[in-house]
């Protein structure tokens, strides 16, 4: 339940927000429940409604900058929600870490890229947590159920996270 976040002494949580209504719903829920959640918008991808939140904004091609931001703010847990499309790689600055990752993983596909990013985050002490850590599944409004979002990043990665948390 969301109460666990308040009771446990855990590092801060950030929502890394892609496209769609799910990130907006999660951010709104956290704000209304006074839960400590920082929103990081993925430029060119996230819903404009997220501009209403005190949020940082990065391009998907700024992985190094995102990691620095998380570490500077003592954020040790992230929730990934929303759809991510390759067109999110266009139009933004590309930092050194992202360029390296893209060179290694783009030929291997999106899954390999996501796993590499999660491995990097884990090395930096930043762990992916499921949305349910903040938001119990039964809190999702109709139309935002897991079936409707089976292509969203959070459900896909959460199941793979065990590989990295070892």
């Amino acid at each position: 339940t969301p109460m666990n976040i308040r009771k446990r002494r855990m590092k801060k949580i950030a929502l890394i927000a892609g496209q769609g209504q799910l990130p907006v719903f999660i951010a709104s829920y956290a704000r209304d429940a006074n839960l400590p959640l920082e929103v990081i918008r993925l430029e060119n991808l996230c819903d404009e409604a997220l501009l209403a939140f005190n949020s940082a904004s990065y391009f998907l091609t700024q992985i190094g900058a995102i990691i620095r931001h998380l570490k500077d703010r003592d954020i040790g847990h992230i929730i990934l929600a929303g759809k991510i499309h390759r067109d999110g790689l266009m139009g933004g600055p590309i930092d050194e870490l992202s360029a390296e990752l893209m060179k290694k993983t783009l030929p291997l596909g999106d899954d390999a890229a996501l796993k590499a990013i999660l491995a990097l985050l884990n090395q930096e002490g930043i762990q992916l947590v499921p949305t349910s850590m903040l938001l119990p599944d039964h809190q999702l409004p109709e139309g935002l159920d897991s079936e409707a979002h089976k292509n969203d990043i959070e459900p896909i990665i959460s199941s793979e996270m065990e590989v990295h948390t070892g």
Side-chain angles (χ1 to χ4, degrees):
T1 67
M3 294 303 289
N4 289 346
I5 286 174
R6 290 192 196 127
K7 288 179 184 167
R8 283 192 212 155
R9 290 223 182 279
M10 62 187 297
K11 289 189 175 188
K12 296 180 209 163
I13 296 182
L15 166 68
I16 298 181
Q19 284 180 335
Q21 288 302 300
L22 185 59
V24 176
F25 180 79
I26 292 167
S28 301
Y29 176 87
R31 181 185 56 200
D32 295 347
N34 281 323
L35 296 173
L37 180 74
E38 181 168 329
V39 176
I40 296 177
R41 294 176 287 115
L42 290 177
E43 206 57 57
N44 284 354
L45 290 169
C46 74
D47 193 290
E48 281 188 20
L50 288 169
L51 293 170
F53 295 86
N54 183 13
S55 56
S57 173
Y58 293 95
F59 284 88
L60 191 54
T61 53
Q62 293 179 291
I63 302 297
I66 292 170
I67 289 173
R68 272 193 307 283
H69 177 92
L70 295 170
K71 290 183 69 94
D72 287 349
R73 303 202 35 108
D74 196 33
I75 294 169
H77 297 90
I78 56 165
I79 291 173
L80 300 175
K83 292 185 173 108
I84 304 257
H85 296 288
R86 279 186 181 242
D87 58 10
L89 295 173
M90 304 303 156
I94 300 175
D95 66 24
E96 202 176 313
L97 187 58
S98 298
E100 235 175 83
L101 272 172
M102 287 166 67
K103 218 184 297 175
K104 285 185 206 164
T105 63
L106 273 180
L108 305 174
D110 296 347
D111 240 19
L114 291 173
K115 283 180 180 175
I117 291 167
L118 288 174
L120 267 178
L121 287 166
N122 274 321
Q123 285 169 15
E124 297 293 337
I126 301 162
Q127 291 188 315
L128 179 76
V129 294
T131 304
S132 59
M133 183 142 188
L134 182 77
L135 176 77
D137 291 340
H138 66 273
Q139 291 286 341
L140 286 177
E142 282 189 44
L144 283 182
D145 61 10
S146 58
E147 187 58 31
H149 288 275
K150 65 182 176 195
N151 294 324
D152 280 10
I153 194 168
E154 186 272 328
I156 295 167
I157 294 179
S158 292
S159 62
E160 294 170 352
M161 202 51 210
E162 292 154 19
V163 173
H164 300 290
T165 57

